[in-house]
Amino acid sequence: MKKDGHIHSPFCPHGTKDKMVNYVEEAIKLGFDEISFTEHAPLPNGFVDTTPTEDSAMRMVELKEYLIEVEKLKIDYKKKIKVNVGLEIDFIEGFEEETKCFLNEYGPKLDDSILSVHFLKNGSRYDCVDYSPDLFNQMISDYGSIDQIYKKYFETLKLSIQANLGNYKPKRIGHMTLIKKFHKKFPSNQSFEKEIFDLLTLVKEKEYELDYNGAGTAKPLCRETYPPEWVIKQAKKLQIPLVYGSDAHQVKELNQGRDSICIP
Ligand SMILES: [Zn+2]
Ligand SMILES: [Zn+2]
């Protein structure tokens, strides 16, 4: 079975206006049996998006329409492809209760979702780790070193896996090495193998899945999957379910990185 478990939509403010129906049609052409739309869920109540363009996630007022549109596609295409309604939920340290509230309300409407870390808490402020090399560079000054940012990222991932977000907490951990998006420009000194392997053990214990994300392969400063192959090897050893995700923000990004991945 060929699945893409991580697709965005025109509801994404930093994406494109490519229509959802065109994503579905293209996915069918590419031979997918199942796809999940996982738009960035509205950020938790009270959290202020710290990116310069403030466009990290869908607006709350659009959520209802998004859910209706995916539901409609699900029905229209059910004979050709399985379309799941989902969201990519941000895990934001300090906003666990708000996130749980959101999930309690909207979780029952979702088939397949992802839990991702994009923001790191640094004292009273939050930084988006994958916004731009410039912002990442600024973070290096704030944190003191690249390794310190990586350390915080993996600690936050750990919190996300352990967090009690209620019965509708997503079962899949998004792009677990997103912190490497700019690694060719800003390499860490350490491999963080221990931290990463410990995270995998935790994912296994919780019976979660991993988003095996192809988007990094298309990023010039990354050029590898999230996570890379050496992590995938260990995940396979632990028999953690891996779900390919294109993380497409436009139709032509469907299938991206799929030739770099190896799913049994
Ligand atoms: Zn996005
Ligand atoms: Zn993401």
Side-chain angles (χ1 to χ4, degrees):
M1 204 204 56
K2 199 173 163 188
K3 172 172 174 177
D4 184 340
H6 192 155
I7 300 178
H8 291 274
S9 74
F11 288 86
C12 176
H14 59 261
T16 62
K17 290 294 156 207
D18 287 3
K19 292 192 177 73
M20 280 197 271
V21 64
N22 295 338
Y23 282 91
V24 177
E25 293 277 354
E26 183 64 15
I28 294 168
K29 264 189 223 158
L30 290 165
F32 284 96
D33 307 293
E34 180 175 351
I35 57 171
S36 303
F37 282 102
T38 52
E39 195 46 81
H40 296 282
L43 293 167
N45 238 338
F47 180 79
V48 180
D49 187 349
T50 57
T51 63
T53 39
E54 295 177 51
D55 59 355
S56 297
M58 177 170 31
R59 311 283 164 223
M60 197 64 197
V61 290
E62 297 207 283
L63 179 59
K64 210 173 156 189
E65 199 191 328
Y66 165 76
L67 296 172
I68 291 169
E69 275 200 37
V70 187
E71 275 300 335
K72 187 174 181 307
L73 289 167
K74 186 170 157 177
I75 295 161
D76 290 353
Y77 281 89
K78 70 167 188 255
K79 289 198 173 122
K80 290 182 176 166
I81 189 168
K82 185 173 191 295
V83 177
N84 299 314
V85 186
L87 289 169
E88 181 176 10
I89 306 284
D90 260 278
F91 174 81
I92 300 178
E93 186 184 351
F95 285 83
E96 292 83 351
E97 277 308 307
E98 290 81 352
T99 306
K100 190 179 181 178
C101 272
F102 175 87
L103 284 167
N104 284 342
E105 184 170 355
Y106 292 97
K109 297 180 169 59
L110 307 174
D111 306 312
D112 187 35
S113 291
I114 298 176
L115 188 67
S116 296
V117 171
H118 303 99
F119 290 94
L120 298 186
K121 187 176 195 304
N122 185 9
S124 60
R125 62 162 294 148
Y126 290 87
D127 301 297
C128 180
V129 297
D130 64 324
Y131 184 79
S132 69
D134 278 354
L135 267 196
F136 196 87
N137 199 23
Q138 181 55 48
M139 285 177 74
I140 300 171
S141 324
D142 296 343
Y143 278 78
S145 72
I146 296 170
D147 286 23
Q148 283 301 114
I149 305 174
Y150 273 56
K151 191 169 163 276
K152 178 66 186 178
Y153 174 76
F154 291 121
E155 282 168 6
T156 308
L157 260 185
K158 187 174 177 185
L159 291 178
S160 78
I161 298 165
Q162 292 174 323
N164 171 10
L165 300 179
N167 289 337
Y168 298 99
K169 182 177 176 182
K171 297 277 174 282
R172 186 152 71 256
I173 302 302
H175 43 56
M176 69 173 285
T177 56
L178 180 67
I179 198 67
K180 296 188 76 186
K181 185 170 179 183
F182 310 119
H183 75 112
K184 286 187 182 291
K185 187 165 181 189
F186 302 115
S188 62
N189 282 313
Q190 304 163 53
S191 68
F192 290 91
E193 182 181 287
K194 185 182 182 308
E195 287 79 355
I196 291 173
F197 282 13
D198 285 351
L199 287 171
L200 291 179
T201 305
L202 211 51
V203 167
K204 175 68 184 175
E205 276 170 23
K206 296 273 189 185
E207 299 182 351
Y208 291 162
E209 306 168 334
L210 280 188
D211 172 37
Y212 190 0
N213 191 302
T217 62
K219 306 283 185 254
L221 296 179
C222 186
R223 296 292 182 204
E224 63 179 38
T225 52
Y226 307 126
E229 210 183 327
W230 63 269
V231 180
I232 290 296
K233 269 191 190 148
Q234 177 70 8
K236 282 181 179 170
K237 246 185 230 165
L238 297 176
Q239 295 178 303
I240 295 170
L242 305 169
V243 178
Y244 165 71
S246 66
D247 210 344
H249 286 68
Q250 47 185 319
V251 171
K252 68 177 183 199
E253 288 175 349
L254 285 171
N255 220 36
Q256 70 183 349
R258 207 166 192 288
D259 49 0
S260 311
I261 72 160
C262 172
I263 288 184

